Each structure stands twice: as structure tokens, then as C-alpha cells.
Amino acid sequence: MISVPDLHRRLTALNCRTVAIQAPEGLKRLLPRLADDLHRLGYEVIISGDPCYGACDLDLDARDQADILVHIGHTPVDGTERVIYETWPVDGDISVIKEVIPRLTGKEAGLVTTVQHIHLLSQAASLLLDEGIKPIIAGPSPRTPCRGQVLGCSFEAARRTGAQEIIFLGTGLFHPIGIKLATGARVFACDPVTGNIEEPDSDRLLRVRFGLIQKAREADSYGIIVSSKTGQCRSQLADRLCSLSDKAYKVVLGEVTPDQLLNLGFPCYVNTACPRLAYDDQVRFPAPVLTPGEFEILCGVRDFDHYEVDEII
Amino acid sequence: MISVPDLHRRLTALNCRTVAIQAPEGLKRLLPRLADDLHRLGYEVIISGDPCYGACDLDLDARDQADILVHIGHTPVDGTERVIYETWPVDGDISVIKEVIPRLTGKEAGLVTTVQHIHLLSQAASLLLDEGIKPIIAGPSPRTPCRGQVLGCSFEAARRTGAQEIIFLGTGLFHPIGIKLATGARVFACDPVTGNIEEPDSDRLLRVRFGLIQKAREADSYGIIVSSKTGQCRSQLADRLCSLSDKAYKVVLGEVTPDQLLNLGFPCYVNTACPRLAYDDQVRFPAPVLTPGEFEILCGVRDFDHYEVDEII
């Protein structure tokens, strides 16, 4: 939960009177209430209504109608100005990690999590130490300013542990599979909310991606998607991919939706926007959506044996 | 159809090398082909993939990655720089108007159309003259640079005819109902593609809108939608509407979708973006979406007897 008095102090220190507020979909319903609280404190408030998937997706239109943008739920991924960040800690029970310990083969383990559980990480490290396991937590990287933090587009904090076994504290299998592909380590996905532990299987993902690349070979043109979102725009990468084929065209998109890909009509797309799109949303799309590395494989400048998970680093 | 040699001449005259191209959804599938044609002529091409509903919806992100934006299908509604416009004429049979003539009560009639049929207007005027009816075609207005042109958000060319009877050459009933509400005239909707003629009924729309205003009276807060699209941003209007209620908050939106309105959770919205949204898309939305004038009625600063159709003029 956000502390309105704390936020008020931060805004007062920056001399802000007009405040734009933005949150991801799961937290969006908080915004009318927060607007009301800030309004009572004398601020003029503008709510960002567009979909929001991360700090890579700052609403500059809303910010530009205000003195500052308050972005809720994420940490900064770039140096965009006039933005302050308020994370949204989600509690959980780290004792789930105890069940991992007998399954570890070594005496040390990498430890990573997502931003909403960052405040649980030092307790989790202590718990491991108490059980004789040395926790390895990597320092910050450019897109992940917290120690031990991973994003759907950056597994740097996992890679930097150099560990053979990595414990991911968090929800879902997207991050654990990404960590496995990025590091080659054995990964334990420990959910502090449900108490579940899973060892993710990345082989199935690789089989699916290989199939997609084979299907994409039939395409006679390619739409190279370039995001217009603040922290997802990889123009140089798109230019390089365009140079690999005479039939590749840059397509600028904000929201990458099935309808938009259908309307454009390309038989294959290559995604340089949010890496999760190609992996998580493929089933929704009307055509193969390859990652940059997969397009390199298709164009013959990379081997499938050197498959790399797509990250923005 | 666009003449690529003509476009090439225009681009050469402006010394453009990198070209962004944008079209509305119905014409989007042309873009890969046009990109290919321009690429063969030596241009670097960027396709705008986002939804596009008019010249009010220019893709500045795509333009800013290019020397110029070529916007297809519409005429300019504002003075945005580094944009050139290519209309997309759609032919039809203007003899449909002959069937209107016996139904006219006077010896003159206003004549209006939408941009895709503008090239048919002088023939239509001649046809009326031949039958002894004086056609009245208004000159350009700021958002409608062609004579006799109406938009979904501007019926100025209808109002300026001052006529008691107005012939609309075009498809659908949205424009004819808007013309009727904006002018009070008798309106004949003549479709040059299907050959159908209709006299639109605006009473049903007024009844629906009255019902919505009554339903909206139960709301305890209001999201005042402000568009981030280039030609739809009515910030001053939104500020004035916010000043009518302590429980009104500005919400900046690009695409106004049912999901976004649901996620934000306001029990009522007021739309200052594209006027068609409140009228055409109400059935899709999870809460009443009022026009600015309807919110004035709700707040008691306007009578329902002085209902005005929402326009951007």
C-alpha cells in the first residue's frame, strides 16, 4: 500500500502541484481513490488510463500535462525525467524456501525475486544461511536497481550470481523459465503466496520456438515490430534485423495486439518490443512472432544451438 | 488508389529519404505493399501499426523516426508539421440523388459528403441543378478543408448551408443523424455505393441519451476522458468540466476501450476525445459515457432542451 503522507512529502520537496498517476492493470482501481486523497491535499490530479505493463511503459502524455508522473508498482528501467516511482510490496511466507533446501545439491544458491517481493529477500537469505546454505544475491544492474531483482526482460541478477542452482522467489513460471534459459542453472520456483515449488522445464519452450521458426520460413515478408513505449524501443536492433532481409519492414506499435497484427497482414513478425510478447502471447497472435535471436536463426546468422532468451539489458 | 509516382514526386520535392506511412484499419493491408513500392524507389520505410481513426490520430512516434509521415485516407484537421495527406477516393453512383428530388419540398438543398466521396460532389451538384434544385455547398472550415465536407466530429459544412433540407452523400447513419441534430434540417442520407436512401431519426438517439444522463446521476465520481491523440485533445474543455464537480478527475487515454474503462472503475465517464465514442460505442462500455454537453445537463448548467451534438470545431 502506498503511504500518502510519504508521497506528499516527496511531491512537496519537488515543488509539484499537478500530479499524473499511473499503475499497472492489477492496481488501476486504486487510482481514483489515490486521486481523491491527493486532491484533498491540494494537488491537481491526472489519471493515466492507458494499459501499463511496467516502468518501460511510462505515460509521457499524462506526465506532460502535469509537473510529475507518479508511477506505481515498478522500479525505474531508464533515466526518463520527471517521474517518481512507488513500489507496491506484496507479502508472503518465505518458509516455502525450507522445502527447497533438501533438494539442493550444493552448499550455495543464487537468490532472485521480482520487485513486489524484494522486501522479503533479506529474510530469505537469512533463512538459507541458518540452514547452512550460502545465498548469492547479485548487485543492481541498469534495469534492475534492487539487489537480486529480475524482470521479465532482464535476468541479469540471476546470471550475475554465477550459481549452479538458483532460487526464484515469486509467482508464475515465466521468470523461472527465463532464468533457466539465461543461466543454464537448475532453477527452483518458490511461490511465497501459494507455497508451491516447481522446477521449470525450458525444453518444451525450445521445442515450440523451433516449430515457430520452421513455420516462419514460409513467410515472404516480415514486420519488424518497434515499440513506441519509453523503455522498450530498440530501434538500432530493429535496423540491424531489417538489414538481414530485403523483405523486412519496421512497424511502429504502441500496444501489440492480435487485431493490429491481423490488420497489417504480414505473414510473420519479429518482436523488438517487450520480450514477453513473443513468448507469452504467441497463442493469441495470427502469425508467428519471433524474437530477434530467432529471426537471426531464420536468416542463417545464428545456430539454434546458440539460442538465447530475449532480454533488454 | 494512391499514385506512387505522384507520392514519389511530393517526397522528392520535400527531400525526404525516410518515410513513415499510416492508414486507417480498413486500408491497413495496403501498407506492406506501399512500403515495398517505396523501398524499391530507395526510401527507408516505417509502417505505423497502431489503430488509426482519422487525421486526429497521427502517429507522431512513427513520424519522429522518419523525415515525414504520409497519412492515408483523410484530410488534415490541424497544423501538425511534417505530415502529408493522401486521400483515398471511393467511387459510387450519384444517380441515387435523383430519387431524393421528388421528396424535396423546396427548390434548394444543402449538399454534404465525407472525404472519400468529395470527388463526386460537383457531379452531384450538376445533377441537382439539371433537375431545377439549387445545390448549396459550404466552403471549407478549419477541420474540413474541402468544400461540402463533414466529419464525424464536425458538421460545420452542413450548418453553414443554412438549408432546411440537406442531402448527405455517403455511407451509414452516424453522419446524417449528427447533421440533423446539428442543423435541425430534414436530412436525406443517400448512399452512392448501395443506392439506398434513408431519412434518419434523431429522436431515438435523444431518448437513449436522456436515459444515460438519468443513469449517470447515480454515480458518485466521474472520469473526464482527455485524449492523447494529436487532434482530439480538448484539455481546456476537460478542465472546465472538472470545475463543475468535486468528484471529477481527468483521465488521459490513447485508445478508449471497454477494458480500460472497466479497469479504472469509475461509475461514469465524460468523453472529451472523439465524439463518436460516446454515441457509437456506448453499448460496448461498462458504464455511462456522457458527452461534454450531457455532463453539463447532469450538473444543472444546461437544459436538455438545449441539447447539442458533440463536435470538435
Side-chain angles (χ1 to χ4, degrees), chain B residues 73 87-94 112-124 146-149 168-172 190-194:
Chain B
T87 57
W88 186 268
V90 175
D91 281 332
D93 182 1
I94 55 148
V112 293
T113 188
T114 47
V115 64
Q116 70 269 35
H117 298 314
I118 279 289
H119 63 297
L120 302 177
L121 212 60
S122 58
Q123 290 172 55
C146 300
R147 294 178 65 240
Q149 180 191 5
F168 168 78
L169 194 67
T171 300
C190 300
D191 191 325
V193 178
T194 64

Side-chain angles (χ1 to χ4, degrees), chain A residues 59-93:
Chain A
D59 189 343
L60 300 189
D61 288 309
R63 183 200 65 175
D64 289 346
Q65 296 186 34
D67 296 324
I68 205 150
L69 174 65
V70 177
H71 179 93
I72 295 164
H74 308 110
T75 49
V77 298
D78 56 29
T80 305
E81 294 182 343
R82 289 198 290 127
V83 185
I84 59 179
Y85 299 83
E86 289 277 347
T87 58
W88 186 267
V90 175
D91 281 333
D93 182 0

Side-chain angles (χ1 to χ4, degrees), chain B residues 213 216-217 222 268 290 293-302:
Chain B
I213 297 169
R217 289 188 196 282
Y222 308 96
C268 177
L290 304 185
E294 290 163 357
F295 188 60
E296 290 174 339
I297 293 168
L298 185 147
C299 293
V301 297
R302 178 189 287 272

Side-chain angles (χ1 to χ4, degrees), chain A residues 93-112 124-125 127-129 131-135 163-170 176 185-192 194-200:
Chain A
D93 182 0
I94 54 148
S95 67
V96 61
I97 288 178
K98 278 191 189 158
E99 292 172 49
V100 174
I101 292 165
R103 293 160 73 170
L104 293 172
T105 55
K107 284 289 168 197
E108 61 175 32
L111 193 54
V112 294
L127 189 148
L128 285 175
L129 266 179
E131 304 286 335
I133 305 294
K134 181 186 165 196
Q164 299 300 305
E165 294 180 302
I166 296 177
I167 297 171
F168 168 78
L169 194 68
R186 189 173 172 203
V187 178
F188 299 93
C190 301
D191 190 325
T194 64
N196 287 339
I197 297 176
E198 283 193 68
E199 282 193 55

Side-chain angles (χ1 to χ4, degrees), chain B residues 188-199:
Chain B
F188 299 92
C190 300
D191 191 325
V193 178
T194 64
N196 288 340
I197 297 176
E198 283 193 69
E199 283 194 54

Side-chain angles (χ1 to χ4, degrees), chain A residues 189-211:
Chain A
C190 301
D191 190 325
V193 177
T194 64
N196 287 339
I197 297 176
E198 283 193 68
E199 282 193 55
D201 171 19
S202 58
D203 289 348
R204 189 177 168 278
L205 181 135
L206 287 177
R207 283 197 300 276
V208 169
R209 303 311 299 183
F210 184 75

Side-chain angles (χ1 to χ4, degrees), chain B residues 61-123:
Chain B
D61 289 309
R63 183 201 65 176
D64 290 347
Q65 295 187 33
D67 296 324
I68 205 152
L69 174 66
V70 177
H71 179 93
I72 296 164
H74 308 110
T75 49
V77 299
D78 57 29
T80 305
E81 293 181 343
R82 289 199 290 129
V83 185
I84 61 178
Y85 299 83
E86 288 277 346
T87 57
W88 186 268
V90 175
D91 281 332
D93 182 1
I94 55 148
S95 68
V96 60
I97 288 178
K98 278 191 187 159
E99 291 171 50
V100 174
I101 291 164
R103 293 160 72 170
L104 293 172
T105 57
K107 284 290 171 196
E108 61 175 34
L111 193 54
V112 293
T113 188
T114 47
V115 64
Q116 70 269 35
H117 298 314
I118 279 289
H119 63 297
L120 302 177
L121 212 60
S122 58
Q123 290 172 55

